[in-house]
Amino acid sequence: MEPVRLAVFASGHGSNLQALLDEPRRNPDWPARVVAVVSDKPGALAATRAEKAGVPVFAKSPRTYPDKPAFERDVLRFLHEHGVQWIALAGYMRLVGDVLLTAYPNRILNIHPSLLPHFPGRHAVQDALAAGAKETGVTVHLVDDGIDTGPILLQARVAIPDGITEEDLLARIHKVEHKLYPLAVSLAVAGWLREE
């Protein structure tokens, strides 16, 4: 069976993108391949990682479009050009809108640095530290029209030692993310393949 054609959306450094790019080398039976990368930040390191891997990149600022649907329609054309079947958000700092949600129903994944439903949103690590939490974690969930509200697929716990810095906690979380996300993608697309 052919691997599922996966697009990764990223706004920043792209360390989770790199984990997904590297996974087929570690695990040749992994049932997905990254065939396209989308970034809303043209200068993002994620776009550079994709280019180095020979993966086609769509990197445009949404501010250059009249509205969000126009931006997403352009993204959707790019995804269709590359036969994308699933989307994995990996540090993509925008809410996905109706255009993409309609085109990829229950086929958009997101990875979030907390144990949802605790600490949703873009400041999850800061919020966990500010709340004095003793643990946080990583969640992979399906994307819906809310903020980190879609059905949860996998979670992993990360302890928060006393006095840890935000930078060190992020590093701990990233280590877990880089293992959990390829596993979650594998489970999600395998289930979808069985239903096809």
Side-chain angles (χ1 to χ4, degrees), residues 176-194:
V176 174
E177 287 178 340
H178 298 163
K179 293 178 182 173
L180 193 70
Y181 213 6
L183 174 60
V185 168
S186 179
L187 294 172
V189 304
W192 177 71
L193 285 170
R194 284 193 294 273

Side-chain angles (χ1 to χ4, degrees), residues 89-108:
L89 308 183
Y92 186 66
M93 303 309 286
R94 294 195 167 274
L95 289 177
V96 174
D98 289 340
V99 171
L100 293 173
L101 288 171
T102 301
Y104 290 91
N106 297 314
R107 284 184 286 135
I108 304 176

Side-chain angles (χ1 to χ4, degrees), residues 3-191:
V4 165
R5 297 176 67 81
L6 181 70
V8 179
F9 285 35
S11 299
H13 290 109
S15 66
N16 276 304
L17 163 62
Q18 192 66 56
L20 296 174
L21 287 168
D22 292 344
E23 187 63 17
R25 285 192 289 279
R26 284 192 295 269
N27 176 9
D29 294 327
W30 195 58
R33 295 296 180 271
V34 178
V35 299
V37 169
V38 172
S39 182
D40 59 330
K41 308 275 189 201
L45 180 55
T48 304
R49 288 180 191 266
E51 288 163 358
K52 282 184 181 173
V55 175
V57 177
F58 177 102
K60 297 182 183 178
S61 171
R63 293 190 186 120
T64 62
Y65 292 82
D67 54 29
K68 183 177 198 162
F71 173 70
E72 288 200 342
R73 283 192 296 272
D74 206 13
V75 170
L76 189 58
R77 277 191 288 273
F78 172 78
L79 298 180
H80 285 164
E81 284 171 12
H82 297 285
V84 169
Q85 296 165 296
W86 276 75
I87 295 170
L89 308 183
Y92 186 66
M93 303 309 286
R94 294 195 167 274
L95 289 177
V96 174
D98 289 340
V99 171
L100 293 173
L101 288 171
T102 301
Y104 290 91
N106 297 314
R107 284 184 286 135
I108 304 176
L109 301 171
N110 184 46
I111 190 160
H112 182 76
S114 80
L115 292 174
L116 292 173
H118 302 290
F119 311 117
R122 64 172 54 216
H123 303 295
V125 176
Q126 289 175 356
D127 293 345
L129 288 170
K134 295 298 182 189
E135 72 172 6
T136 186
V138 176
T139 301
V140 179
H141 64 93
L142 289 171
V143 174
D144 61 14
D145 60 0
I147 298 174
D148 300 321
T149 54
I152 292 169
L153 300 181
L154 278 181
Q155 289 186 309
R157 298 178 184 278
V158 176
I160 304 178
D162 290 341
I164 194 170
T165 65
E166 182 180 345
E167 183 180 2
D168 287 343
L169 181 55
L170 267 171
R172 284 178 176 227
I173 288 170
H174 285 321
K175 281 185 182 176
V176 174
E177 287 178 340
H178 298 163
K179 293 178 182 173
L180 193 70
Y181 213 6
L183 174 60
V185 168
S186 179
L187 294 172
V189 304

